[in-house]
Amino acid sequence: MSDFNVLDYFFWLLLIIAFVMEAWALIDSLTVPTGAFSAASKQSKKLWMIILIVATVVGAAYAVAPAALGASPIALLLGILPVAAFIGAAVYLADVRPAVGPYKKNNGGRGGSRSGPYGPW
């Protein structure tokens, strides 16, 4: 890893940022009720979970590869798998997440300061 230059570190940082975004999309999708996807006219939660789990695993593998294998981050970043994983997470975060957002349970399902026992008041 001693032969890395500044540009390699920059592209490695991009791989790490992509992985964090993919993990964020996966964690966010876990908090959405199953019925919210069909109510928002989106693909099923099961399909999105598969897409985001695969994207997160691919992102993790590619983010760790430069350190574990000594691979060039530039070559890794230009591959089809990390790009596809990033696109899957980006589509979820940009299109699906805003559509299913109103159906998410806020405050962990418990009433907060703005809601009574039977809903907001």
Side-chain angles (χ1 to χ4, degrees):
M1 196 159 106
S2 62
D3 58 343
F4 271 28
N5 60 29
V6 175
L7 199 56
D8 285 331
Y9 284 111
F10 173 74
F11 284 106
W12 192 7
L13 179 64
L14 290 180
L15 286 168
I16 293 169
I17 290 170
F19 165 66
V20 168
M21 194 175 109
E22 293 150 2
W24 173 34
L26 175 63
I27 292 167
D28 183 77
S29 69
L30 292 171
T31 65
V32 178
T34 304
F37 290 87
S38 59
S41 299
K42 299 297 175 188
Q43 296 294 328
S44 68
K45 180 173 183 171
K46 184 177 181 179
L47 178 65
W48 277 110
M49 293 301 299
I50 292 169
I51 291 170
L52 295 173
I53 288 169
V54 169
T56 304
V57 169
V58 167
Y62 276 80
V64 171
L69 304 175
S72 169
I74 297 170
L76 292 173
L77 191 62
L78 296 177
I80 190 74
L81 288 178
V83 172
F86 179 80
I87 289 173
V91 167
Y92 175 82
L93 290 172
D95 181 45
V96 179
R97 183 174 185 255
V100 299
Y103 302 100
K104 289 173 75 170
K105 292 181 181 177
N106 294 331
N107 300 325
R110 290 179 273 150
S113 61
R114 294 187 48 209
S115 65
Y118 303 108
W121 49 293

